[in-house]
Amino acid sequence: MPIDYANELNPEQYEAVTTIDGPLLIIAGAGSGKTRVITFRMAYMLEQGVPQHAILALTFTNKAAKEMSERVKQLTKKKLRDVTVSTFHAFGVKILRKDIGVLGFRDNFSIYDEADRTQLIKDCARELGFRMESFDPWAVGQLFSLIRTGLASWERANDAYRGLYDEYRRSLRIYNSVDFDDLIVMPCEIFELAPDVRARYTERYRYIMVDEFQDTSLVQYRMMQLIATKNVCVVGDDDQSIYSWRGANYENLMRFEKDFPEVKEIKLERNYRSTSTILDAANAIISHNTNRKEKELWAHDGSGGTPIEFYTPDDEVAEAEFISRAIKAIRFEEHVPYDDFGILIRTNALTRWIEEALLADNVPYKISGGTSFFGRKEIKDITSYLRIIANPDDDVNLIRIVNTPRRGIGKTTLERLGNIAKARSCSIRTAMELCRNGERVENFSLKADGTEGLGGDGGMVFGGLGKEALADIGTFLDLLEGWREEILGKKRISEKVRKLVDGIDYWGYLIEDNKQNDKVAKWKFHNVENFIQMIDRWEKDPDTHSPGLFGWLNRISLITRDDGEDDEGGKVNLMTIHAAKGLEFQHVFIAGCEDGLIPHAKAIEEGEGNLEEERRLFYVAVTRARKKLYISACLRRRKANQVGEQKPSPFLEEIPAHLMEACEIEGRMSDEEGEAAFGKFAALFGPKEGEEPSLGG
């Protein structure tokens, strides 16, 4: 049965779907049904007789490519084996597998990931005589990526690495390998060097579509342009271009209009996601950007919605507690599942306090776009010590900390201990004790294959281990036993944990492990101190009924285990705004909406154009909300152990006053209280020259 496109789509979507000849620019606002338009457009092309092999759809993630492909198959009821729906990089691999010979490589090339690239850069640097103690291969790799993709030049970069770059490129060729950047750059080089190869792709892919076009880099644009004919459609929203730091260039929208002068432009402004209140606020915010396509989102169902709620908690602790308790209250009142809540933050450094509050209120959550505070290596290291003290037979955590800090208990020793544990059906900790107290198991040793043999010889004392290894094992066991006695059973453990951190010289370990960047060591140790303070506050909380080691470990196990989705409605989504792009939630909390965070001070320092990108980022955050938006800005915030006064984000001034409602943490204010609060709120910004403080945009 043919698809009734006119009935399935709104007029603008219908026009975009049925315009398949000639260049087309679709400006798809947030929540306007972009993916629906792309998939219906592919179905329409097939229905109009366009061959499957002639269609190429490019996007940015494997998830998006898979979703797009599946939805077209469902629409058309066809298998679509010859339609190419792919990420840019996967399409690049497809080209290279067939035509990399043009560049002198063999077609069985290897693809280096970031770890491989970093190692090759280190190897090349050693060969060229670089001082490795002050060499940062990761940072050099980032520079090489910028050079390779044309985002930087040696005239403006550190020319000292130019010879290293040449050696790195030469080594890749020797090893018949390419790196991730090559997957985009090399196809362009092939097309430019071999017109016949380029013609082959141009003749095949006569209908090209590019999703999330505002996120394309210059080299990705070039790849598309080199094989595009007149039938090319790009879909994007310049107001959601938030990835310039990884090469995205929203100006490709204007570049496309210049390179394809016959382009037709269609705007999708009807929003199927948010209320009018949220959309009006978003429109007001983004209108302050000058380098953009004019558009005005409006709600499809005309729903007005309730005002945006604005809170000014005293500090980050109060903010986190407010968010957590508000989620519980809304869930109870409206029966909303946890996974319909989104907590958005500008930087991953803000997760700590929010995680602690969610944990205290038993609210399940998951982290996206960053690492959970409890998942950071330094926190897991200290937690592993505590778990081993609580349960000596926990092999997983023992292996994690046996050489953290380094103690000389290497892989060979651990392998032999593992063989003993397997032969004796015991834990590795017990195997260590057997080795230390060898007299308890007479004449026992293990051969390399794990079988038992008689007594040690040739310097092997017990279990195939030498005297030095046994001494290291003994020292490690003494340390654990000493701290077990020190911590176990104590009601107040925070100070004991601090002494443990000092006793193992974890600071010295961090310094040694981060020789190239002592700031990283300081940051990690600061996180450890925060972890200890977290324990201290929990112990002092009058609602804590079971203080002590086991109570704390049980508490954090609720969020450090990996047990899938919560049976009662998933988990709250705690994520950076960057990670939230493309997602939507019934209720959205934007935390830390303060000057210096939104917009981020560092981003503003790095370039004039970044203010507009920071505003786009805030616009993306606002448009994630379907029903209700909550924004909080702390009056004070702790930074590097110092408490500083905060001002609300200047972007909040751009929201018309009638769309926002000032609220107290414990409940909504009366009209009189609200007016007074708005006066106080506006005063936080400080008056502008020649005008009164105002919320109006």
Side-chain angles (χ1 to χ4, degrees):
M1 185 174 178
I3 301 169
D4 186 353
Y5 293 95
N7 188 53
E8 291 283 344
L9 305 163
N10 69 42
E12 296 79 23
Q13 291 176 334
Y14 179 78
E15 184 181 11
V17 165
T18 56
T19 303
I20 61 174
D21 295 318
L24 178 64
L25 170 59
I26 302 174
I27 303 296
S32 62
K34 170 178 65 69
T35 303
R36 183 177 180 82
V37 166
I38 293 172
T39 52
F40 270 80
R41 194 171 188 274
M42 292 171 69
Y44 183 80
M45 282 193 283
L46 293 168
E47 194 175 281
Q48 295 301 305
V50 175
Q52 289 188 26
H53 69 264
I55 299 174
L56 169 64
L58 295 171
T59 187
F60 279 85
T61 66
N62 290 319
K63 180 181 177 183
K66 183 178 180 182
E67 179 188 0
M68 201 179 295
S69 181
E70 291 300 321
R71 287 175 68 168
V72 177
K73 288 176 183 177
Q74 290 173 6
L75 271 176
T76 61
K77 306 294 190 290
K78 296 178 180 179
K79 293 183 179 180
L80 306 180
R81 291 191 178 92
D82 291 331
V83 173
T84 303
V85 182
S86 170
T87 65
F88 275 94
H89 288 90
F91 184 59
V93 172
K94 184 175 182 177
I95 295 168
L96 296 183
R97 289 294 178 203
K98 190 173 184 64
D99 295 297
I100 198 171
V102 171
L103 302 176
F105 284 73
R106 301 184 299 280
D107 58 10
N108 63 339
F109 62 89
S110 299
I111 301 172
Y112 276 23
D113 60 18
E114 188 165 318
D116 296 329
R117 180 179 73 172
T118 299
Q119 186 59 52
L120 181 56
I121 289 172
K122 285 167 70 174
D123 293 343
C124 292
R126 284 195 186 94
E127 290 176 15
L128 295 177
F130 278 76
R131 291 181 56 192
M132 300 310 295
E133 62 272 12
S134 59
F135 183 75
D136 187 346
W138 183 86
V140 171
Q142 297 303 301
L143 170 63
F144 287 2
S145 181
L146 294 173
I147 295 291
R148 183 69 172 138
T149 56
L151 293 173
S153 64
W154 288 116
E155 287 71 26
R156 296 185 177 183
N158 189 340
D159 198 61
Y161 294 116
R162 192 166 191 166
L164 177 58
Y165 176 79
D166 293 339
E167 181 62 22
Y168 168 70
R169 299 301 314 170
R170 189 177 76 89
S171 298
L172 282 174
R173 182 173 288 273
I174 290 171
Y175 299 145
N176 197 45
S177 299
V178 301
D179 62 20
F180 207 57
D181 296 317
D182 290 330
L183 302 182
I184 306 296
V185 176
M186 280 185 164
C188 295
E189 293 174 341
I190 290 170
F191 295 150
E192 288 165 344
L193 283 172
D196 58 324
V197 174
R198 175 184 174 185
R200 180 165 20 99
Y201 286 91
T202 301
E203 288 166 9
R204 173 173 177 174
Y205 297 114
R206 292 183 286 112
Y207 292 84
I208 297 177
M209 281 188 288
V210 181
D211 186 23
E212 301 287 4
F213 188 64
Q214 77 281 346
D215 293 337
T216 54
S217 65
L218 290 173
V219 69
Q220 286 166 331
Y221 178 88
R222 181 63 177 155
M223 176 200 267
M224 177 276 294
Q225 183 192 22
L226 283 167
I227 61 171
T229 56
K230 65 173 185 175
N231 301 324
V232 56
C233 169
V234 298
V235 186
D237 180 8
D238 52 337
D239 288 339
Q240 296 186 72
S241 180
I242 58 175
Y243 295 114
S244 66
W245 46 275
R246 69 182 190 195
N249 193 328
Y250 72 94
E251 292 181 353
N252 281 345
L253 288 166
M254 280 69 88
R255 191 170 284 108
F256 181 76
E257 291 177 307
K258 181 180 177 182
D259 292 336
F260 296 87
E262 297 176 5
V263 63
K264 179 178 182 178
E265 181 181 300
I266 298 173
K267 292 180 181 178
L268 305 180
E269 299 170 290
R270 187 183 312 209
N271 179 283
Y272 292 87
R273 176 188 300 160
S274 307
T275 65
S276 293
T277 296
I278 292 167
L279 296 178
D280 288 348
N283 288 329
I285 292 163
I286 204 63
S287 67
H288 286 75
N289 275 6
T290 56
N291 296 315
R292 63 184 291 265
K293 290 273 188 181
E294 289 293 330
K295 70 184 75 66
E296 189 89 6
L297 297 181
W298 55 278
H300 169 69
D301 59 5
S303 59
T306 56
I308 297 166
E309 294 187 13
F310 177 73
Y311 296 84
T312 53
D314 287 338
D315 56 24
E316 61 270 28
V317 175
E319 178 183 53
E321 290 174 348
F322 150 67
I323 291 172
S324 178
R325 290 168 187 172
I327 288 172
K328 292 197 76 171
I330 295 164
R331 187 171 186 270
F332 177 77
E333 293 169 4
E334 302 183 17
H335 307 290
V336 180
Y338 279 126
D339 57 13
D340 238 341
F341 291 91
I343 307 173
L344 309 187
I345 50 177
R346 174 62 180 85
T347 169
N348 195 47
L350 301 184
T351 63
R352 173 217 163 174
W353 304 101
I354 299 172
E355 286 191 75
E356 185 176 356
L358 296 172
L359 179 61
D361 288 331
N362 294 315
V363 175
Y365 70 92
K366 60 183 178 181
I367 297 275
S368 301
T371 305
S372 164
F373 178 79
F374 297 97
R376 295 172 185 174
K377 181 185 182 302
E378 60 273 18
I379 304 304
K380 291 177 74 173
D381 285 345
I382 305 306
T383 301
S384 289
Y385 272 97
L386 299 181
R387 292 193 188 282
I388 285 297
I389 289 168
N391 176 15
D393 294 320
D394 185 339
D395 282 354
V396 172
N397 283 291
L398 184 138
I399 290 171
R400 180 179 185 88
I401 54 95
V402 69
N403 222 22
T404 306
R406 294 173 182 82
R407 299 186 174 89
I409 304 176
K411 291 181 181 178
T412 301
T413 300
L414 285 174
E415 182 181 12
R416 288 172 176 164
L417 287 168
N419 288 335
I420 294 171
K422 184 177 180 181
R424 292 285 170 164
S425 299
C426 65
S427 68
I428 291 178
R429 170 69 173 265
T430 300
M432 285 182 167
E433 291 170 348
L434 287 171
C435 290
R436 181 180 62 179
N437 308 315
E439 69 278 7
R440 295 182 185 175
V441 185
E442 296 178 2
N443 298 324
F444 174 80
S445 68
L446 282 176
K447 298 177 183 178
D449 61 3
T451 58
E452 295 188 19
L454 292 175
D457 61 330
M460 295 297 174
V461 178
F462 185 82
L465 300 172
K467 290 182 179 180
E468 287 186 11
L470 288 174
D472 291 334
I473 290 170
T475 301
F476 178 61
L477 290 175
D478 290 344
L479 180 142
L480 294 183
E481 288 163 2
W483 284 108
R484 179 176 170 81
E485 186 176 342
E486 183 81 9
I487 294 177
L488 205 58
K490 296 288 193 301
K491 287 188 177 180
R492 295 290 303 279
I493 62 169
S494 57
E495 285 306 314
K496 300 296 182 182
V497 175
R498 183 174 278 107
K499 289 181 179 178
L500 168 64
V501 170
D502 292 338
I504 63 175
D505 190 20
Y506 195 73
W507 167 245
Y509 164 73
L510 290 175
I511 288 292
E512 178 66 23
D513 208 45
N514 297 276
K515 286 181 178 179
Q516 287 88 18
N517 194 341
D518 64 343
K519 288 183 179 179
V520 173
K522 290 176 182 176
W523 170 250
K524 289 177 178 290
F525 197 73
H526 176 66
N527 286 335
V528 172
E529 180 59 34
N530 284 340
F531 179 67
I532 296 169
Q533 290 175 6
M534 195 181 289
I535 300 173
D536 184 56
R537 275 195 307 278
W538 170 75
E539 290 177 323
K540 292 176 179 176
D541 189 333
D543 292 332
T544 298
H545 301 297
S546 301
L549 180 60
F550 292 104
W552 174 254
L553 291 177
N554 288 339
R555 184 173 188 259
I556 63 174
S557 290
L558 293 173
I559 55 94
T560 54
R561 69 181 186 222
D562 184 15
D563 59 356
E565 292 299 294
D566 182 79
D567 291 336
E568 298 183 12
K571 298 179 180 180
V572 170
N573 300 273
L574 173 56
M575 59 180 58
T576 61
I577 302 172
H578 282 101
K581 185 172 174 291
L583 303 177
E584 57 185 68
F585 307 99
Q586 193 87 338
H587 295 266
V588 167
F589 292 80
I590 303 177
C593 195
E594 300 145 28
D595 196 10
L597 289 173
I598 302 176
H600 200 280
K602 185 178 179 182
I604 301 304
E605 289 171 6
E606 290 176 351
E608 293 181 8
N610 287 348
L611 178 62
E612 295 214 345
E613 177 151 338
E614 289 292 303
R615 186 178 280 109
R616 292 194 292 269
L617 194 59
F618 186 50
Y619 170 85
V620 166
V622 169
T623 54
R624 298 311 94 195
R626 292 202 297 264
K627 178 182 178 182
K628 188 71 181 181
L629 179 62
Y630 311 82
I631 298 176
S632 55
C634 294
L635 298 175
R636 288 169 293 279
R637 185 174 292 276
R638 181 178 295 276
K639 297 177 183 177
N641 285 328
Q642 291 185 337
V643 177
E645 300 292 323
Q646 295 293 101
K647 289 185 177 182
S649 166
F651 294 152
L652 292 175
E653 290 188 282
E654 299 170 358
I655 300 176
H658 70 278
L659 299 176
M660 284 231 297
E661 181 177 33
C663 300
E664 287 185 329
I665 295 297
E666 295 303 323
R668 189 167 295 171
M669 300 180 185
S670 66
D671 291 342
E672 294 78 10
E673 290 172 327
E675 287 182 16
F678 263 120
K680 175 185 173 185
F681 166 49
L684 290 172
F685 292 99
K688 295 180 181 178
E689 187 176 343
E691 69 178 45
E692 293 298 316
S694 171
L695 264 179

